Amino acid sequence: MAGISLFLEYVFIHCMLIISGKYTYQDSNRAGGNNLEGKVMKKRLKYALAILFALTLLVNGSFSALAATESDVLLPYREKLNLLNEELGTQYKIPTNEELAVTDMTVQELNDFYTSMDLNEFEEYILEMHDQNAQNSEARIQNVIAVNDGISARATETEQFYYYSSSNRNYFTLKSKIVTVNNVAYYNSFVNAGYNSKATGYPYYVPMSISYSVSSDSRQMTVSYNCSKYISATLIDTGYYTINVTYTAGA
């Protein structure tokens, strides 16, 4: 980058000298003519503009090449992962910058993590993660916590939490409105459903879409979370995992 800046500065000064007349060159029209000075100035401007145009193309190409080099540092690993996906019948991917934001890992740490491996070591790592993923393919309920602001015939907003792993504190949520009649709670309406936005461990599920249904007696609400799955901070399974959670009003 420093070399490009110095070169740009050099050519700019060169162009200014051409325009000012400090640099001259042979011209067949130099002798005679009332408009000689104007002709010379026009040629100087054309020459300088041609140099600046060529410089612009060169610098743009240099920046593009630099950007491509920086963004493609993990390209060999992504290509290897595509081949492994074909062999395993999986949909694994290395996180993008945006997807990495939910973890505690930086882009530089991710790049360093993978580039510290050769491609054979990378394959061994993916196969290890694949085995681990198979062992944790099903989310398990740990507990459901209801936060109710009172018992009333009026609908009150409630948030319930579904902790799906005993190894961490990742969870899904359901926000709803509940009414209580004769000491029995019923779902009045669905508000929304979500999840913890920062991974606290792995596996970590990120819902891509959510749907729900209510039982005929309005006592239960089943939410379907259609998710991709972070196997670790460095690897995502983009195959859909549908996790159905049945919540009970007032529980």
Side-chain angles (χ1 to χ4, degrees):
M1 292 296 291
I4 293 173
S5 298
L6 289 173
F7 181 67
L8 178 60
E9 182 179 352
Y10 168 78
V11 175
F12 178 77
I13 293 172
H14 183 72
C15 291
M16 292 301 101
L17 289 172
I18 291 172
I19 293 171
S20 65
K22 299 296 184 182
Y23 287 173
T24 60
Y25 54 93
Q26 295 298 319
D27 186 275
S28 60
N29 295 322
R30 290 190 63 164
N34 295 327
N35 199 28
L36 176 59
E37 185 177 350
K39 289 180 178 179
V40 171
M41 180 57 71
K42 286 182 179 179
K43 291 205 171 193
R44 287 174 182 164
L45 286 171
K46 288 180 180 179
Y47 184 40
L49 289 173
I51 293 176
L52 287 174
F53 179 72
L55 176 65
T56 300
L57 294 177
L58 175 63
V59 172
N60 285 343
S62 299
F63 279 118
S64 297
L66 179 62
T69 300
E70 291 177 345
S71 63
D72 290 345
V73 64
L74 296 183
L75 181 59
Y77 300 90
R78 298 184 198 278
E79 291 176 342
K80 180 67 173 178
L81 185 56
N82 289 338
L83 294 176
L84 291 171
N85 279 330
E86 291 180 8
E87 294 177 11
L88 299 171
T90 52
Q91 299 178 56
Y92 297 141
K93 68 175 291 190
I94 296 172
T96 63
N97 294 358
E98 292 76 13
E99 291 167 333
L100 199 64
V102 303
T103 74
D104 289 326
M105 181 172 279
T106 66
V107 173
Q108 187 60 54
E109 287 171 340
L110 177 71
N111 291 345
D112 291 345
F113 175 79
Y114 278 122
T115 55
S116 68
M117 310 178 191
D118 61 33
L119 291 180
N120 288 330
E121 293 170 330
F122 174 74
E123 179 175 352
E124 292 176 2
Y125 171 73
I126 296 301
L127 293 177
E128 179 183 345
M129 290 294 99
H130 179 62
D131 290 342
Q132 179 178 314
N133 190 33
Q135 295 170 11
N136 294 310
S137 60
E138 294 296 329
R140 299 178 182 274
I141 190 167
Q142 179 178 338
N143 60 336
V144 175
I145 302 172
V147 181
N148 203 323
D149 59 5
I151 299 176
S152 170
R154 296 179 58 188
T156 58
E157 188 166 298
T158 298
E159 184 170 20
Q160 293 171 284
F161 296 81
Y162 173 85
Y163 291 87
Y164 53 75
S165 176
S166 59
S167 63
N168 57 60
R169 298 291 290 173
N170 295 324
Y171 58 82
F172 297 131
T173 65
L174 166 64
K175 284 186 179 181
S176 63
K177 289 188 176 181
I178 290 178
V179 295
T180 301
V181 179
N182 295 327
N183 293 321
V184 179
Y186 301 90
Y187 286 107
N188 175 266
S189 62
F190 172 88
V191 177
N192 60 46
Y195 64 106
N196 58 302
S197 59
K198 194 80 171 178
T200 65
Y202 303 92
Y204 172 63
Y205 293 92
V206 176
M208 301 292 103
S209 64
I210 294 172
S211 58
Y212 71 95
S213 61
V214 183
S215 63
S216 58
D217 62 0
S218 297
R219 291 275 298 124
Q220 293 185 319
M221 187 177 291
T222 299
V223 182
S224 296
Y225 302 86
N226 301 307
C227 310
S228 62
K229 177 182 180 182
Y230 284 69
I231 303 171
S232 69
T234 58
L235 190 65
I236 300 175
D237 185 354
T238 60
Y240 262 11
Y241 289 81
T242 299
I243 301 171
N244 297 311
V245 182
T246 298
Y247 299 88
T248 299

